[in-house]
Amino acid sequence: MKKIFSFFLLFFAISQTAFAQEEAKKDSVPVSFWKRSGSFNVSFTNVQLSNWAAGGQNSLSLGGIFNGKAIRETTKSKWTNELTLQLGGARVGGSDRMFKKTDDFVIANSQYNYKINEKWAYTAGIDFRTQMLAGNIFFNDAQGNERAGMLISEFLSPSFTTANLGASYISKALTATFSPITGRLTTVFNDSLSKAGAFGVTKGEKLLFEFGPSFSAKLDLDIDKAKTINVKSNLLLFSRYNGWVEKGLWDVNWETMLTFKVNKYITTSFATHLI
C-alpha cells in the first residue's frame, strides 16, 4: 500500500514541479485563456407493435453521451483535461422483460505536455476509467421470466487509474504517447467481487498495483472541410514488466466514434469499444 501512494505522490510532485516552472515564466510567455468545448447527445427509440403481420417485438432504448474538454496552452506547454460519460440501456420485448444497460463508462484524463520542438514533447498524464451502474448476468427462470443473476461489475469495481511519464508526438489531429514509466492502480471495492479475485486482484484484496510501459494514441479528425464528419479514437495499451513484456501480453482499451452532423441540431454517430 505504501508503494502505491509513494508512486502517485512522486508522480504528483514531478508534474506539479513542471507546471510551477512553466508558471514562473508566464511573464515572458503569452498565455491564452482556457479553451472549453463539449457536446451532449441523447437518443430515444420506442417501438410498439399490435397485430403486426410482419412480426417483430416491442422495444425501448435510451442513451446519452457527454464529452467535455478544457485546454490551457502557452507557447511551450499544453494542458488538456477531458471527461467522457456514456450510458445507455434497452428492453426488447414486453413489460415482462428487463431493461438492461448497453453502454456504461466514465473516462477522465489529464495530460500535461512540455514542448521539445514543434512535434515532440515531454508528457505527464493520468487516466481514470470506471462505470456508473452495476452489471449483471441475466437468465430465465423456470417460468421463463427474465431475472438478474450474478453481479459482474459496479461503480469502482473495477476502476483503473493509470499515471505515466514519457514522450509524445503531437500533430493537429493526433497525439501519440510512449511511456516507459507507467503505474496502474486497479480497484475492486465490492466485497463479493473482491473475494472472487475479479479483475486480477488477489482474492480478498481490493487494490492491485502494476508497473510497466504503456502506449496511448488520441485521434480527433474532421474528415471533410465542412466539418460535418468527425472521427474520434482513443487507444490505450499497457503491459507489466514482471512477465508480460517478455511474453508480448498487453491490455487493450480502444474506443472509436464516427459522427455525422446532419444540421445544427441533429447528429448521427457510430461507436465501437474494444477491450
Side-chain angles (χ1 to χ4, degrees):
M1 191 70 179
K2 291 181 179 179
K3 292 181 179 179
I4 296 173
F5 286 109
S6 296
F7 173 82
F8 284 101
L9 182 61
L10 176 61
F11 173 81
F12 180 78
I14 293 173
S15 61
Q16 290 299 308
T17 299
F19 186 72
Q21 290 175 346
E22 182 63 25
E23 286 294 299
K25 300 177 182 178
K26 66 181 181 180
D27 291 337
S28 59
V29 179
V31 179
S32 66
F33 294 102
W34 283 95
K35 295 180 181 179
R36 299 178 178 85
S37 62
S39 63
F40 179 64
N41 297 298
V42 175
S43 61
F44 174 75
T45 304
N46 184 19
V47 177
Q48 295 290 333
L49 304 176
S50 179
N51 297 321
W52 182 241
Q57 296 188 71
N58 296 340
S59 65
L60 176 67
S61 64
L62 178 66
I65 303 172
F66 169 79
N67 177 263
K69 184 183 293 186
I71 300 173
R72 182 184 186 276
E73 188 170 8
T74 72
T75 56
K76 292 293 292 181
S77 68
K78 185 176 182 180
W79 186 14
T80 303
N81 301 275
E82 188 170 6
L83 174 65
T84 302
L85 307 174
Q86 184 163 333
L87 185 63
R91 183 185 71 197
V92 178
S95 57
D96 59 321
R97 309 304 290 177
M98 298 189 69
F99 198 84
K100 308 172 188 175
K101 68 175 183 178
T102 54
D103 289 305
D104 183 7
F105 60 79
V106 178
I107 300 175
N109 54 64
S110 180
Q111 182 167 304
Y112 181 80
N113 296 322
Y114 188 84
K115 295 180 181 178
I116 303 172
N117 53 42
E118 289 299 318
K119 294 294 184 180
W120 291 92
Y122 298 116
T123 297
I126 187 166
D127 182 277
F128 171 78
R129 296 164 185 258
T130 188
Q131 58 284 313
M132 290 175 268
L133 303 179
N136 298 84
I137 294 177
F138 293 87
F139 68 97
N140 292 328
D141 62 18
Q143 288 73 41
N145 298 316
E146 196 169 42
R147 303 294 184 190
M150 184 176 68
L151 178 75
I152 57 175
S153 67
E154 65 176 16
F155 181 63
L156 298 181
S157 296
S159 76
F160 304 97
T161 303
T162 306
N164 61 76
L165 293 172
S168 295
Y169 170 81
I170 303 172
S171 66
K172 185 177 180 180
L174 174 67
T175 299
T177 302
F178 174 69
S179 303
I181 303 174
T182 303
R184 185 174 71 173
L185 177 66
T186 302
T187 70
V188 181
F189 288 125
N190 179 274
D191 290 335
S192 63
L193 294 175
S194 172
K195 290 177 181 177
F199 306 102
V201 302
T202 302
K203 290 184 178 181
E205 297 292 330
K206 298 182 183 295
L207 303 176
L208 171 66
F209 181 73
E210 300 166 290
F211 182 71
S214 68
F215 174 80
S216 64
K218 293 182 180 180
L219 178 68
D220 189 348
L221 178 65
D222 291 313
I223 296 177
D224 61 333
K225 292 183 179 180
K227 297 184 178 181
T228 59
I229 305 175
N230 175 269
V231 59
K232 288 184 173 67
S233 189
N234 187 1
L235 171 66
L236 180 61
L237 305 176
F238 175 80
S239 187
R240 295 194 311 226
Y241 279 126
N242 56 336
W244 281 24
V245 174
E246 293 85 347
K247 297 177 182 179
L249 300 176
W250 293 81
D251 280 348
V252 179
N253 201 310
W254 188 9
E255 306 105 29
T256 300
M257 178 177 291
L258 183 64
T259 303
F260 299 87
K261 185 177 180 180
V262 179
N263 54 41
K264 185 177 179 180
Y265 303 101
I266 300 174
T267 61
T268 299
S269 60
F270 300 91
T272 61
H273 190 179
L274 308 178
I275 302 176

